[in-house]
Amino acid sequence: MPKIDEARKFLEDIGMPKAQQSDICALSLLAMAGIKPSDEWKSASNEWIRIHDIIAFVNQNYGTTYAENSRETFRKQAMHRFRTAALIEDNGKATNSPNYRYRITEETLKVLQAFNSSNDEKMMERFLLYHEKLVDIYASKKKMTMMPVKINGADFQFSAGKHNELQKAIIEEFAPRFAPNAECLYVGDTIAKDLVKNVDKLKELGFEITLHDKMPDVVLYREDKDWIYFVESVTSVGPMDPKRIIEISEMTTNVSAGKVFVTAFLDFATYKKFADSLAWETEVWIADMPDHMIHLNGDRFMGPR
């Protein structure tokens, strides 16, 4: 039996739904276990691995031709489902971090290494006996890395990572100081994507959300001033440069509210890296110095203090 069919059989035996017995899922399992077509299952391993590495492995060893832009398909069809079923775990980094990795759990690895051996049935039975408990354990591990945040008076959780740490600061530190009583109309999450999305209010103000990637990280609306704040949370990419201002302006052609463009940074050192690319007539907020703002082009504020 070809290795891909053996991997499919393993996924079926371990209780994965039909959709997660597809070629992509079977190949993902083989890549994560480091199993090539002629390898035996007892040599399976569980090194930390990126989706990029999975695609490279299967293309090299199984004659596939998956492109880099198929990473999201692998993530959604295989990794998310494997993670929920506690077959794999991640390292707790933000998904947009270059250091984000997955690996097969130690428990799953033991069953994999026994697959197609005399000990196969016994190991599988043992795994399935306490599998639900295992799902709970790994779900709890994931939960521990979440960050609580209060948005519009309701409790939410951000996944771990510097980007979301800064978004939390924007909502809890920036907004009360510089956008008092503002409502959060949109905020993304590195994993959950559209964590808060008030489509009705955004339509009422004159625009619709289209692609997640086009949206600023945080959108706030201050009704008393009729101001809408577009805030980018910048830890590595994406400040309010002239190109970004044009993109947001094109998205919001029909928005009549006053537009405030803000780039937020965790610290002054990160701000300095991007200082020369920031657009004029935008604002800068630095989480390390939460009581202050930097206004690029001070003609409106020039005068004695």
Side-chain angles (χ1 to χ4, degrees), residues 9-64:
K9 176 72 165 57
F10 176 86
L11 291 169
E12 181 186 358
D13 290 352
I14 215 160
M16 294 303 289
K18 196 74 178 169
Q20 273 63 61
Q21 298 168 31
S22 65
D23 283 358
I24 277 182
C25 293
L27 289 165
S28 295
L29 181 71
L30 289 164
M32 294 188 76
I35 296 289
K36 296 174 184 175
S38 59
D39 289 341
E40 294 185 23
W41 287 100
K42 65 182 179 183
S43 68
S45 61
N46 67 337
E47 301 298 319
W48 290 107
I49 192 171
R50 301 170 299 171
I51 293 178
H52 165 82
D53 303 320
I54 291 172
I55 291 171
F57 183 93
V58 299
N59 284 348
Q60 184 178 342
N61 295 289
Y62 287 92
T64 53

Side-chain angles (χ1 to χ4, degrees), residues 239-253:
M240 284 293 186
D241 57 18
K243 180 175 177 288
R244 192 69 180 109
I245 299 294
I246 291 168
E247 287 175 355
I248 296 171
S249 297
E250 286 175 351
M251 283 174 57
T252 58
T253 307

Side-chain angles (χ1 to χ4, degrees), residues 201-245:
K201 187 67 179 179
L202 286 162
K203 279 183 179 177
E204 185 187 316
L205 288 167
F207 70 99
E208 291 185 48
I209 293 178
T210 50
L211 297 174
H212 165 78
D213 289 337
K214 291 275 187 187
M215 286 298 293
D217 293 312
V218 181
V219 178
L220 304 167
Y221 178 62
R222 185 173 171 183
E223 193 163 13
D224 62 331
K225 295 268 192 183
D226 194 27
W227 286 358
I228 189 161
Y229 298 72
F230 300 108
V231 190
E232 292 289 20
S233 167
V234 176
T235 53
S236 57
V237 292
M240 284 293 186
D241 57 18
K243 180 175 177 288
R244 192 69 180 109
I245 299 294

Side-chain angles (χ1 to χ4, degrees), residues 151 158-159 163-164 167 171 184 186-197 212 215-219:
I151 306 174
F158 276 135
S159 48
H163 183 82
N164 282 342
Q167 291 198 142
I171 290 162
C184 180
Y186 178 88
V187 62
D189 178 85
T190 50
I191 292 175
K193 298 299 182 189
D194 303 333
L195 191 68
V196 169
K197 182 170 65 172
H212 165 78
M215 286 298 293
D217 293 312
V218 181
V219 178

Side-chain angles (χ1 to χ4, degrees), residues 101-112:
R101 301 283 190 279
Y102 299 95
R103 74 171 177 186
I104 292 168
T105 67
E106 291 292 337
E107 294 86 356
T108 307
L109 181 64
K110 287 173 185 171
V111 186
L112 259 183

